[in-house]
Amino acid sequence: MTVFERIKEISKKRGLNLKKTAIAAGLSENAIYKWKSQTPQSNALQAVADVLGVSVDYLLGNSGNMHPSDKTDEREGDLKDYFEKHPILQYDGNPIPEAELKIIRRILEDMDD
């Protein structure tokens, strides 16, 4: 399986298409499509791996382990930080509109009361 094919497969599992994956990684809309015939730069590949929550080694086919070994467990931590790190949040494969995210944030902020 090629790097392109792995990215396409994982993106689909995450409810993203390649265009949304590229944009979330800070790349041009068609950057990943170019990887069918070009070798991606390491920084671009790392950005895509971060968006998809997998290791670069997994994308390259060097490892069967999807998850980076040096990352902390994302189940631990602040949800506010998660919102900031993941600009495109989805539910059931559909992006959550910004208006609804504001409501969710307000509810979470009021939990202390």
Side-chain angles (χ1 to χ4, degrees):
M1 183 178 290
T2 67
V3 171
F4 174 80
E5 291 167 337
R6 279 191 184 246
I7 293 170
K8 186 175 180 179
E9 179 183 281
I10 299 303
S11 293
K12 185 175 180 179
K13 286 181 182 179
R14 303 287 192 260
L16 298 168
N17 60 35
L18 292 179
K19 179 180 173 181
K20 288 180 182 178
T21 301
I23 292 169
L27 306 173
S28 68
E29 292 179 0
N30 296 314
I32 296 172
Y33 289 101
K34 293 177 185 175
W35 298 351
K36 285 183 186 181
S37 59
Q38 297 175 359
T39 303
Q41 293 183 351
S42 60
N43 59 337
L45 194 58
Q46 182 64 59
V48 170
D50 291 344
V51 167
L52 298 176
V54 299
S55 68
V56 171
D57 278 338
Y58 180 79
L59 292 180
L60 292 172
N62 297 333
S63 170
N65 183 9
M66 287 179 113
H67 304 288
S69 58
D70 61 339
K71 283 198 167 187
T72 57
D73 186 351
E74 287 197 20
R75 291 176 291 183
E76 297 177 13
D78 195 312
L79 189 56
K80 185 176 181 180
D81 293 337
Y82 184 85
F83 279 170
E84 290 172 7
K85 288 181 191 175
H86 299 85
I88 301 176
L89 292 176
Q90 297 188 17
Y91 181 79
D92 198 24
N94 297 310
I96 300 172
E98 187 60 35
E100 278 74 13
L101 284 175
K102 287 179 182 179
I103 294 168
I104 293 168
R105 285 186 186 105
R106 267 198 315 264
I107 290 168
L108 293 171
E109 288 169 359
D110 290 342
M111 284 178 39
D112 292 343
D113 297 342

